[in-house]
Amino acid sequence: MYTDPLQWKRIRDSIQSGKRSIRATSRDTGLSRKTIRKMLKYELPPPYGGLPQAELPSTVGSRFWEDLYDIVVAVDRGRAVELLESLSLARSPILSSARARKVVLSVVKGHEPTPREKRRDERIEWIRSVERKRIEPPAWFRDKPILMQKLASGRPTERNRVLTVLAKEEGITGRVICDSLGISRNSVRRYFRAYQNGGEEALFARQRRAHSKSEDQGLKDAVFKTLHEPPSQYGINRTSWTMAHLSSVLRDKGHAACYQVLRTIIKSAGYQWRKARVALTSTDPEYSEKLSKVRAILSELKEDEAFFSIDEFGPFAVKMKPGRMLVPPGEQRIVPQWQKSRGCLILTAALELSGNQVTHFYSTRKNTDEMIRMMDLLLSRYHQRRKLYLSWDAASWHMSKKLQKRIDEHNEQAAALGQPLIALAPLPAGAQFLNVIESVFSGMSRAIIHNSDYPSTDAAKAAIDRYFASRNRQFQLNPRRAGRRIWGKEREPASFSTSNNCKDPRFR
């Protein structure tokens, strides 16, 4: 054994005297060369970590004296005396233990053990001999493969369980088993009771607590009562709980629990971290009525009718723009905060929902005249339709008297001129998120505005024109209504819904 002091001394003496080499000793004993070099380094078997002799823990010293006492009683008193003298143990602090005094008394004074002590020592020696494979276990034991396998190659705790069962079946008392294996009497009783009730499988079954702390109803009530209160009520400057603060407050309330217990309680109740959903709202008192009107128009839209979502993009300055882009390792794109603008643009556009076509032009400002200009452009382009619905937000120039007068004048002459009628489908005030064209603007901005550095407004206009021309051509070849995914370029689905925010704030 690696912790056997006699083997330790014998190997040290044979190598240090030159009788054997490290390689030959390793081959004969089965010990690794690394272990043998440790034996040459220390006079006594050190604990894990290789502490010097003066720092040996009491458990190692106790095990050493037990082995030495067994030698005194059952093997060779002369060899024990020789070991004591050679290692100069009289100067060791472990001699202060009662076991050490008993060994010294037996060795020096020739104390003879009593018959009871002899029987006890014989049983201890028998248990250790079985553990160290010096003798064969009884026949009944060899018929149990699981016990034999655990005794041969199991972990130390598993071998203790096997030896406890073996010793109890052989009539050895629990006190002797405790002294031999260094375990408590409660462990001896628990191991043997498990074996009697469930056999070999129960003996090695994983031990579980009958009642976990996470199942304590009082602790659960305290946890959720605290979670439902704001942290500021307990002097914590936070708006949400952390595990450290929750544990601290519960400890002050007399419900101490570790983080893992708290996590188990909270998770088993179905709690989880969820980000709050931002509800899209409008302050328009006629929100429901206007929304119902737009939905009714879209649900009953005929083939000779067209519905347009209209809005302006901008104004935006033509200059070097920031944004996300791929860069090589070690390189960082820099955009100056303050730049001289190369011009300013306002884009006015209308999205026809059934054909997914964009009509656009550039404006110098946002006013009623630009809305009339857009109306005239749509009348020219969609002259074959019977009726055109114009939908936009509640901006003042979208709802002006001048615009309404122009629409009324047109509708009076529409039948005579063979032109389509114009009808308004205004969106509720403060409900820009319902304007479907905002989704198209976000996709356009991400594609050709972000990361741009156009030298002039003409260059920026040319890029925007190419974008919408390509987009319109795509949907002419592959017809699809707006409201489904638009071309895979828009950041948000272009669908008319109260739960959909067409306007992506990241690309405006």
Side-chain angles (χ1 to χ4, degrees):
M1 292 292 292
Y2 173 59
T3 57
D4 187 348
L6 285 182
Q7 183 190 32
W8 196 279
K9 180 179 182 301
R10 186 165 57 251
I11 291 176
R12 281 171 54 87
D13 291 345
S14 63
I15 296 177
Q16 290 176 347
S17 63
K19 295 180 181 179
R20 305 285 291 175
S21 65
I22 294 179
R23 177 179 295 180
T25 305
S26 175
R27 183 177 60 250
D28 295 342
T29 61
L31 299 173
S32 68
R33 300 180 191 179
K34 183 177 180 180
T35 299
I36 295 173
R37 292 189 181 95
K38 286 185 179 180
M39 291 180 170
L40 298 176
K41 183 177 180 181
Y42 301 108
E43 294 183 353
L44 285 176
Y48 292 109
L51 297 176
Q53 176 180 338
E55 300 177 10
L56 287 175
S58 59
T59 54
V60 178
S62 176
R63 180 63 183 271
F64 170 78
W65 287 116
E66 290 178 4
D67 291 339
L68 183 59
Y69 182 76
D70 294 339
I71 297 169
V72 172
V73 174
V75 185
D76 188 346
R77 189 184 307 276
R79 288 182 61 195
V81 173
E82 179 184 354
L83 180 61
L84 281 171
E85 293 175 349
S86 64
L87 298 180
S88 302
L89 290 176
R91 296 191 301 271
S92 175
I94 60 177
L95 274 172
S96 59
S97 66
R99 188 65 172 162
R101 290 194 294 271
K102 186 174 181 181
V103 171
V104 173
L105 180 64
S106 301
V107 174
V108 177
K109 296 185 177 181
H111 172 71
E112 291 293 336
T114 64
R116 182 178 179 180
E117 291 177 337
K118 286 184 178 180
R119 288 194 301 272
R120 173 186 174 281
D121 293 334
E122 288 173 357
R123 291 168 180 171
I124 291 177
E125 176 61 24
W126 182 82
I127 294 175
R128 293 184 178 173
S129 297
V130 173
E131 180 184 11
R132 299 170 183 176
K133 303 180 180 62
R134 294 175 182 171
I135 61 174
E136 289 290 330
W140 68 267
F141 183 83
R142 293 195 295 271
D143 293 336
K144 297 184 178 296
I146 297 180
L147 295 182
M148 287 292 292
Q149 187 270 331
K150 295 295 184 181
L151 180 62
S153 59
R155 299 191 302 270
T157 56
E158 294 175 335
R159 291 201 301 270
N160 285 345
R161 294 171 191 244
V162 173
L163 292 170
T164 297
V165 171
L166 174 59
K168 290 289 288 185
E169 291 287 2
E170 291 295 314
I172 299 176
T173 63
R175 186 183 297 274
V176 174
I177 298 173
C178 293
D179 293 341
S180 176
L181 302 179
I183 59 178
S184 66
R185 298 184 72 177
N186 286 335
S187 296
V188 171
R189 297 190 190 100
R190 187 173 71 253
Y191 295 161
F192 192 62
R193 189 185 304 117
Y195 177 76
Q196 286 180 318
N197 296 335
E200 299 172 71
E201 294 183 359
L203 178 62
F204 301 106
R206 185 177 180 181
Q207 300 294 323
R208 297 183 180 272
R209 291 184 180 180
H211 300 285
S212 174
K213 190 170 184 178
S214 61
E215 300 175 359
D216 184 356
Q217 189 60 42
L219 178 59
K220 288 183 179 181
D221 295 340
V223 168
F224 294 115
K225 181 178 182 300
T226 307
L227 282 177
H228 294 156
E229 297 171 340
S232 58
Q233 185 172 329
Y234 297 91
I236 300 171
N237 189 29
R238 284 187 60 88
T239 57
S240 59
W241 285 101
T242 65
M243 200 61 68
H245 289 139
L246 179 61
S247 177
S248 176
V249 170
L250 290 173
R251 189 184 306 109
D252 295 340
K253 290 183 175 182
H255 297 280
C258 66
Y259 293 178
Q260 187 58 43
V261 170
L262 296 180
R263 289 190 184 96
T264 302
I265 292 174
I266 295 171
K267 187 175 181 180
S268 61
Y271 281 66
Q272 56 182 328
W273 290 103
R274 295 286 296 274
K275 187 176 180 180
R277 183 176 65 86
V278 178
L280 305 176
T281 59
S282 171
T283 58
D284 194 330
E286 299 179 0
Y287 178 85
S288 299
E289 293 77 0
K290 292 181 179 179
L291 182 60
S292 299
K293 179 182 177 181
V294 172
R295 281 178 169 168
I297 294 172
L298 290 175
S299 63
E300 300 173 1
L301 194 67
K302 299 178 175 56
E303 292 185 359
D304 59 351
E305 298 176 341
F307 190 100
F308 296 92
S309 176
I310 304 172
D311 204 359
E312 301 90 359
F313 181 85
F316 65 94
V318 178
K319 58 183 180 179
M320 182 183 293
K321 297 285 188 178
R324 298 181 61 195
M325 65 182 303
L326 288 174
V327 295
E331 184 175 315
Q332 176 67 53
R333 183 171 180 263
I334 303 298
V335 177
Q337 180 180 6
W338 303 106
Q339 304 178 50
K340 184 177 179 180
S341 175
R342 297 159 191 158
C344 184
L345 287 179
I346 298 176
L347 173 68
T348 303
L351 173 66
E352 198 277 306
L353 300 189
S354 60
N356 230 326
Q357 299 294 297
V358 174
T359 302
H360 75 284
F361 57 82
Y362 302 97
S363 305
T364 57
R365 59 181 57 192
K366 300 179 181 180
N367 55 27
T368 301
D369 292 336
E370 296 301 312
M371 292 301 99
I372 295 175
R373 177 185 173 190
M374 173 58 74
M375 184 185 74
D376 293 339
L377 182 60
L378 295 177
L379 287 171
S380 173
R381 183 172 179 180
Y382 293 90
H383 60 87
Q384 74 279 11
R385 302 293 179 95
R386 183 182 62 84
K387 193 173 187 178
L388 306 182
Y389 292 95
L390 308 183
S391 178
W392 40 44
D393 55 36
S396 60
W397 58 90
H398 292 165
M399 309 299 296
S400 66
K401 294 180 180 180
K402 181 179 179 181
L403 176 62
Q404 187 62 51
K405 182 180 178 181
R406 175 69 178 85
I407 293 174
D408 292 341
E409 292 175 352
H410 167 78
N411 287 339
E412 292 176 358
Q413 303 175 2
L417 298 176
Q419 291 185 335
L421 295 172
I422 297 293
L424 295 182
L427 296 174
Q432 295 89 344
F433 53 86
L434 294 176
N435 206 345
V436 181
I437 197 172
E438 294 285 4
S439 177
V440 179
F441 285 157
S442 295
M444 182 271 297
S445 177
R446 179 175 184 263
I448 62 173
I449 302 298
H450 285 226
N451 286 317
S452 66
D453 188 13
Y454 297 113
S456 64
T457 56
D458 291 338
K461 289 179 180 180
I464 295 173
D465 293 343
R466 287 193 298 270
Y467 177 87
F468 284 126
S470 176
R471 183 189 181 284
N472 289 343
R473 184 168 55 255
Q474 170 70 20
F475 284 107
Q476 288 172 354
L477 298 176
N478 303 279
R480 182 178 300 176
R481 287 177 177 269
R484 301 180 182 179
R485 187 178 181 187
I486 296 183
W487 202 25
K489 296 295 184 181
E490 279 73 16
R491 300 294 296 175
E492 299 294 328
S495 58
F496 190 86
S497 171
T498 56
S499 62
N500 178 44
N501 189 355
C502 298
K503 188 173 184 177
D504 188 343
R506 295 172 296 176
F507 297 102
R508 285 293 285 165

